[in-house]
Every structure is written in structure tokens, then in C-alpha cells.
Amino acid sequence: MDDRRATPRTVLPAASVRAASVDIYAPQWRNFIFVAPFLFFFTTLLLVPLFWGMWLSFHKADTFSSGNFVGFGNYVRLFHDKVFLQSVWNTFYFVLLTVPTLALIGLFLALCLNRRTRTAAVLRTLFFSSSVLSVTIVTLIWRIVFIPNVGLLSTIYGWFGATAPAFISDPSLAMIGIAIATVWWCIGLPMMLFLSALQQIPQDIYEAAALDNANRWQTLRSITLPSIKRTFVLVVIVQIVLQFQLFGQAWLMTRGGPNNLTKPIVLYIYDTAFRRWDLGMGAAASEVLFILILMAAMVQYLVTRNKAGQA
Amino acid sequence: MKMKKVLFAAVSAGVLMLASPSFAATELTVQRFFGACDADFGTNTDVAKAVGECGIITSLINKFNADNPDVHVSVSTVEWPGYDQLTAQFASGEAPDIVTIHESALSDYQSKGLLMPLDDLLKSVGVTPDAFTDAARNGATKDGKIYGLPIDSWTMLYHINMDLFKQAGLVNADGTPILPKSPEELLAQAEQFKQKTGKPYFVQNLANETALYTRNLYTYLFQQNSDFFADPKHVKLNTPEAKKIVEMYKAIFDKGYTTKDLDYGGAINAFLAGGGGVQLNGTWVVGDNNAQSETKGTALNKGGYAVYPYPQLFAGAHAQYADGHTWAVSQKDRTPEQIAAIGKFLKFFADHDFDWSRTGHLPAYKAIIASDAFKALPHRNTIAAVADLGRPLPSAVQRQFAIQDIVGEEMSAAITGQKDVDAALADMESRVNELLANI
């Protein structure tokens, strides 16, 4: 089976003692110990719940008991539920609102702050600082801004005798309000990823461009943007995966209202499984979300693999 | 010598550790809503000094701990109504010993065998169900047994800014407010109010709200004798009676007779600042509002504060939606000391129900309702009628909080114009029935 070991043994019998002890590629079961802790937690915290969730989604189960097998019954109910379909649309709408904004503003900030001045360093810290806050603090801050009559926005509009838009309760504005809070909260990571990508572009390309009399716009379009293309794709896909999981902001700012217009899939799952105790249907909705996120992750895998192939 | 000292210290420590359990107080975990106010009442044991739900319950538990050195109650406060946590706690076997549960939510937990029947325990400490008011006893009884110690009955009320009512000319000769007797009168009076004061008649918390809408609907369905939960497993809400109510509230919304974008806290602040005539809120703010009306310089001090049950707008039963709070006890293995400690705690709350009724809630005990001390509390002459008017949903209806969310969402959609009234009522009915069919 192992040809490499067999060949020297026949040609050079004297070396066989040494050769037998040097194969570092041979499987050694004691190496398993190094990955065992990871495998243990991976299995117990990810694999088991994953398959348990799938099993639950085919059962009529509540929080305190798992009942009869219902086949695809929960899925059928799910796709007949207007609120679920609304929550799927809400999630896509939210991703559509936030991901391009995060990518573009993140890129813009990175381009502006990619310099070695003290002001840039301070601003980088400042823009990143919101990312360290918990969702509770973020939503509290934005509620103070948006709250009618006494909120910051109302006060500012009040100076001009105008009425502030009702970002928390207006059906057409509520999701935009949540998106604004989310962009403010999450802008740090895309900015940092773009900054690190920008700093990896070799300086000599810019010097060559300067020698060719390229203006700023040409440099940006022909050098900077093509060089950070992969980071751009990474930022977009990471953000899609993250924003698909919207929960805290919607729960704390609007409770999914008005009339479910800001209820994302995760909040639907929470509502169904833990507030109505309909665990089977909640599990079915989780599987749908799992497939959606899996698709986004597969796209990331395919895109990055192709790029690697080209390079 | 040194060794001797160390040995002596070690033995003493060991003896202390062994001995301490026999002196230790019995630990009870209590979980409640009603908010947190430790900054104001964290150490207060003088219940008479406390005001509001949070102040009174915090002070009562402090007093219990002070009066009973053999029992120690540790409290965890949850955001109202706290059932998501409680359900998760039950599911993971970590439920608190004693917990606040609405009468409307008792059957969810009782039907799963998660709560302890309290008849024998209450009897052992001298609390008998015949002392409860009918509303409290019915609310706390499931399948013939008591599953929670009722501490009050509550309902929604008309909290009135009398200064603005006077400006609007909506005051009788005897100084009482003029309240409507039909939907048409309500709209006419609201219009008159708006014309005269420039302010909305109602201060409502409509921003992402469900409970208020639902309670309004239930109340006026009762007043039209609509038996919408004749079958606890199947609701009938797509009815002409429900449509009348939704259309009435829609007219109030469309014509600007109500505040629109306020959340719960915002609505309270707006009412206290004189932002409208009538705030639709529960019995629990009577104490706070009355305290405001006695404070110089406030909007409620200007012309006074009055509070009434919902007016009778329809020709049917004299009724309005009501519920109650109880202390329920989780089902688990306990030592006789722990059970005795729970009995003491429940008895303490039964004995101090008058203090709790200062919040504005109606007492759960007949003797307290009949007492002079209760009658002497401000505004009780106008709201005591709720003891007879109050009506809950049938106790066999499960998931009442989840139903409340659905009803409230659809009503909100219809009233704010997101949905056609008929479509909203049809969706409301089918969504509730889908939920009930899958319990």
C-alpha cells in the first residue's frame, strides 16, 4: 500500500531501520486527540442540533413534548402562512437595504481614511467603535433618536416647525429605520476589511500610474477597485449571511410591527417556537432559513474558488 | 504551636460550614414583572410610603424578607409579561419557585402540568377561595383547582384630564365628565373636544401595539353580546359586531381624534403633559396619575384627574374585558420547609392585598373591596364598578397572549389603513383559528 516505503527497503536494506520511523504522512490515531475537543463541540453543539431541528420540523411538537410525525405538514402550513411569506420578503428587503449600503459606505470610508494621519486614525477608531456595542445599546440609542415627540429627530424637526418621520411606526419607514440603525452599528467591519485590502495594494503601481499622469479617478477605477474586487465580494457575502439573521434590532425597536412589516425570519421562528409553543413549525422555518443561508455560503464558496483558479 | 492553631482554625471552619445549613434561611426564587425600581425602593420596607406597582411590590417583598428571617426570597425581574423566559425556564427545568402569571395565561402552564395546585397549601395557611372575589376565584381556578394566588383584578379605564374636558365643554353640572353612550356620541364628543382644545380626544399608544387594540375589541364585543369564543378552540371574529368596533376606531384614527405614533411610555408622558383628553390605560396607573394630579404645576393638577370604566357604547351586556395577576408556584420536588416558606409568602400577599390595591388594581378579596380603607382610596367610587363589569375570556382558551398579538396586529392594520377592514377581520379569524387548531 505504501510504495514509498517499500522501494527503499528493497534497494537499501541497511537504511530500512531509519526509513521505518520517518514517515510523517502515515495516519496516527493519537493525532485525533488534537482535534477531539473541536469535534466534540462541533458534534454536540452543531451537528446534533442541526439534525434534531430537521427531525423536529417533521413533527408536531411543542416546547414541552414532541408529538406525532406529520411529514411535510409543518412546511405546508408554513408556505400557506401569509406572515411567514411576509417575513421572508422582509428579510430579503432588509438585506437589500443594508448590504449594498454597508459595502458602499464601508468602501467610501476606507478610501477616505486610508492615510497615515492622526485624524484618520482617530476617525477609524470612531467609526469602528459602534461595532463593539451590543444590540441592546444600539437599539436604545436609535429609539432615543426616532421616538416621537421627545426623540432627537423630533426635536430637530421641531426647530423648523415640522413633524419628524415616524421611523418606528410608519409602515413604509419602519424597516428603513431598522436598516439605518444596523448600518450605523455594522459599518466598522466592512470599513476595516476594505482598509486592510487597500493597504495590501503595492505602492509601486500607484507610482507607475502617477508617472503616466493618471488622475485620481483613473487611479481609483483602474488600480484601486480592481485590486480590492475579492474583498468586495467577501464583504458582500459576509454581510448577506450576517444580515439574513436579523433579530435583535427588529425585536427591540418595533417588535416586528407595524403588522409584521419588520418581522424577519428569525423573529418569526422565535414567535412561532417560543411564544406560540409551536416548535415543529418553528423548526421548519429554521430549516428554510438554513437553506437560504447555505445558498449564500455556497455562492461565496463558488466565487472565491473561481477567483483562486484564475489567480 | 503553629500547627495547633492551623488545625484549630480548620476544625472551626469545618464546624461552621457543617452547622450553617441548619441556621440558613430557606431560599425561595421569585420571578415577577411590574418593572424595576431598586434605586427608589430597593431597601424600603415601609409599604405605606411606596407608590405604583413597582414601588409597592418591591417594598412588599422587602418587608416579607425583613419580617421572616427564616425565609429569604431572591427576586428576578423580567420584562412584561415575561412568558418567553418562563417557558424556556420550564423547558430547561430551571423555573422559579413563585412567579407572576396572568389569569389569562395560567391555563397554558397548568394544562402542561407545570404548576402546583394550591388548594391544600392555601388552606394550611388559612387562605380559602371563598374569600376571593368571584372574578379572582374564577380566574385562578382551572379544572376545579386553584393554580395561582389571585392578587388583583385589572382592566382598562378612561383616564381623564378634567382641565381639557372643561375646556371642551364636556363636564356635567356636578363636575363629572360627560362620557359617550354610543359610537356616534363618542365621535361627536371627540370632534367637539378637538375643535375646542385643538388636541386629540384620545391618548393611545398605537405604535407597534397589540394589547390595547385587543382589549378594546374584546370589551365592545362583550357589550354587543357577541359570543366570539363560544368554542374555546374556534373563534368567530369576522362578524358585523367586530366590524362596527374596528370601523369606530378607524374613524377615530382617520379624523385625528387620537395620538398616532406613540409607544407605551410616550403615551403616558403625553397624557401627563396634557397632550389629550382621555388616556386608554389600565388600573395600574391610577395611583401614579393620582399622585401627579396632587403635584402642583402638572397638567393633571390644573383641572383635576378623573378615571372611569369604559363607557357603555352598545345595547348589550354591561361588561368590559378584565384579567388578573396571580402568584403561581412551579411544580417540583420540595422539602417541607420550602413548601412552608411558599405558604408563608402567599399568605403574606393575601394579607397585604390592600397595599397592592393602592396601585389602582381592584382587590382580589371581597373583604377588602367592602372595607372603608379601600373605599377611601381616591377614585375607587368610580372604578369599583369594574368588579362587576370585568369579564375575562373563557378560561379554557389557551395561548391568550399569542391570540392577543394576532388580533392586535390585524386591528392595527385595519385602523391605520394598511388593510381593508373586512380583509383584516378575515385574516384575524383565520390566523387565530390556525393557531388554536395546532395546539
Side-chain angles (χ1 to χ4, degrees), chain B residues 235-256:
Chain B
V235 75
K236 278 188 189 150
L237 288 169
N238 194 6
T239 58
E241 291 87 2
K243 192 173 176 181
K244 255 187 219 169
I245 301 162
V246 177
E247 282 178 341
M248 177 181 85
Y249 278 103
K250 185 166 166 50
I252 288 167
F253 187 88
D254 290 345
K255 291 177 179 168

Side-chain angles (χ1 to χ4, degrees), chain A residues 92-156:
Chain A
F92 276 98
Y93 178 46
F94 177 75
V95 168
L96 206 71
L97 282 175
T98 50
V99 174
T101 319
L102 280 165
L104 293 176
I105 297 181
L107 178 62
F108 175 75
L109 286 176
L111 287 169
C112 293
L113 302 177
N114 184 27
R115 51 197 77 192
R116 290 171 191 275
T117 62
R118 184 170 288 181
T119 322
V122 170
L123 287 175
R124 277 199 298 265
T125 317
L126 212 64
F127 281 113
F128 190 74
S129 59
S130 63
S131 306
V132 303
L133 299 175
S134 79
V135 65
T136 325
I137 307 290
V138 171
T139 49
L140 202 64
I141 292 171
W142 282 95
R143 274 182 71 91
I144 294 170
V145 174
F146 289 150
I147 216 156
N149 292 0
V150 288
L152 179 69
L153 209 59
S154 288
T155 313
I156 294 171

Side-chain angles (χ1 to χ4, degrees), chain A residues 62 77 82 143 148 260 270, chain B residues 84 112 261 263 427 434:
Chain A
D62 70 26
R77 279 175 62 207
K82 286 182 196 166
R143 274 182 71 91
N260 298 312
Y270 176 73
Chain B
D84 304 356
K112 292 282 169 191
D261 295 316
D263 62 5
D427 284 350
E434 209 270 347

